[in-house]
Amino acid sequence: MPLTAAPNRYHAELAWLGGPVPVADVMIEVVDGRITTVRPGWAPGPAERGSIRLAGLTLPGLANAHSHAFHRALRGRTHGSRGTFWTWRDGMYALAQRLDPDSYHRLARAVYAEMALAGITAVGEFHYLHHAPGGSRYADPNAMGHALLAAASEAGIRLTLLDTVYLTSTVDGEPLRGPQLRFGDGDLDGWADRAQALKTGPGARRGAAIHSVRALPGELIGAFVPLAEGMPLHVHLSEQRAENEACQARYGCSPTELLHTYGALGPDSTAVHATHLSDVDRSLLGDTETAVCVCPTTERDLADGIGPARALADAGSPLCLGSDSHAVVDLFEEARAVELDERLHTERRGHFGADELLMAATVCGHRAIGWPDAGRIAPGHRADLVTVDLSSVRTAGAEPLAAAVFAAGSADVTHVLVDGRPVVRDGRHATLDVARELSEAIGAVWP
Ligand SMILES: [Zn+2]
């Protein structure tokens, strides 16, 4: 799908340009993958019939700021005997043992294509499945990372490879064992040597990640932060109370305080989950403008709890969204869950407006994974457009912006443009039979 040199004109019946209500009849002109003109109230004249009409509501591309692509193969497979956290984690480790660069490439391509169908135009892949079983190196030590980069390119979406350091298995510094041996680079030099050799092409960039305070001792967090200079830095934070308790026992502080002590918080950093926080933790995250990526459908699947999303946003942390374990790939569902979970928790409605939730799904998510020129329908921005059907059985009759956030599902996405290239048309992926690819790729890892 080469970029087109001639201007492409789109006529959005309704487009969300960032305000509280969408705008009617918006002409969006695209040149070489960038938006060059946005003109509301546009009616194509007889000589301008060449424009492509987008019926429904057109949004900027959605950013999935937290993904572990391989977890998609666990969907619907961890609920036997009702399921516990451990049935999920045992399944995840068993799955991690089965993948090689070829099978991971096929699986990830299908997963990223599923994301494209859901309107996701860029993904932050929190990647720690680096090495062969037992921890031995592939001939290309980045074979798994390169498989993910190829998968995203073939699926038509951008990818930030959040290359994850994972050196220990507990807060007390126990060594990696069994399936975890695939995750480890031995030491920080091992991580840096491998990570710096990663080759990214167009539509991809590098980021860094600390798996969690379980996986990197405090003093090494301080040594790792300079290695991540100039890149997005992500970290799983206080997803479960047990992590907080172990951190208090070892360091006498919370995981957030530990990260702050070693300089890992800041506007280029994103804390993933941030579920179980103290008032001090929330202030540290907000004061440092650390973004927080909430992953409500995974957090409910794993019984993690409900994080303080409103309080974090009020403290100064930009919120973004991730589908994480891919129990569900639907950022509309993630967005509305941020509000609906607060309602359940507080027994009160009205914490987030639909436009705030869309900001989390678009501009804040893109910024968190290193694409600050994406996530808005505005001149100069990347031409990522996502059109939502407002006449489906789910969305018919709803107010347009509320339809997208509180009623739509990923199946309501009809058209997706990524960097000016049409990736989804009429609800179908331009090049891949996504359901068949998912079925075959997952069938291959669970024969
Ligand atoms: Zn995660």
Side-chain angles (χ1 to χ4, degrees), residues 66 68 236 272-273 324:
H66 190 66
H68 309 285
H236 288 128
V272 181
H273 303 301
D324 189 0

Side-chain angles (χ1 to χ4, degrees), residues 301-353:
D301 185 62
L302 295 180
D304 290 339
I306 299 170
R310 183 69 259 172
L312 282 163
D314 289 343
S317 286
L319 300 183
C320 54
L321 306 171
S323 67
D324 189 0
S325 70
H326 314 309
V328 174
V329 172
D330 186 338
L331 286 199
F332 305 118
E333 175 67 29
E334 305 292 346
R336 63 178 158 261
V338 174
E339 165 66 18
L340 298 179
D341 286 355
E342 287 272 1
R343 291 184 187 180
L344 281 175
H345 182 63
T346 60
E347 301 174 46
R348 198 162 42 77
R349 305 178 86 228
H351 303 274
F352 290 92

Side-chain angles (χ1 to χ4, degrees), residues 35 50 73 106 130 136 173 175 205 298 315 321 335 344 372-373 433 437:
I35 296 170
R106 285 194 296 277
H130 299 302
S136 60
R205 63 182 42 175
T298 291
L321 306 171
L344 281 175
D373 55 351
D433 179 343
E437 293 225 0

Side-chain angles (χ1 to χ4, degrees), residues 45-122:
E48 295 170 302
R49 293 294 181 204
S51 64
I52 299 163
R53 188 165 187 274
L54 301 172
L57 173 64
T58 295
L59 306 170
L62 309 180
N64 189 356
H66 190 66
S67 162
H68 309 285
F70 75 98
H71 292 193
R72 172 63 180 82
L74 294 170
R75 185 187 296 176
R77 289 176 170 270
T78 62
H79 305 277
S81 304
R82 297 186 181 176
T84 64
F85 177 78
W86 301 107
T87 58
W88 178 85
R89 212 187 56 178
D90 289 349
M92 190 269 278
Y93 280 169
L95 171 62
Q97 287 292 76
R98 291 165 181 250
L99 290 163
D100 61 28
D102 287 340
S103 58
Y104 201 10
H105 170 244
R106 285 194 296 277
L107 174 60
R109 183 173 64 183
V111 175
Y112 296 146
E114 180 183 357
M115 291 185 196
L117 288 175
I120 292 162
T121 55

Side-chain angles (χ1 to χ4, degrees), residues 4-60:
T4 51
N8 271 332
R9 272 188 184 178
Y10 293 87
H11 173 203
E13 183 183 27
L14 284 172
W16 180 64
L17 304 181
V21 292
V23 177
D25 290 316
V26 180
M27 187 268 274
I28 304 163
E29 201 163 65
V30 173
V31 179
D32 289 342
R34 296 266 169 183
I35 296 170
T36 53
T37 308
V38 177
R39 189 174 305 154
W42 184 70
E48 295 170 302
R49 293 294 181 204
S51 64
I52 299 163
R53 188 165 187 274
L54 301 172
L57 173 64
T58 295
L59 306 170

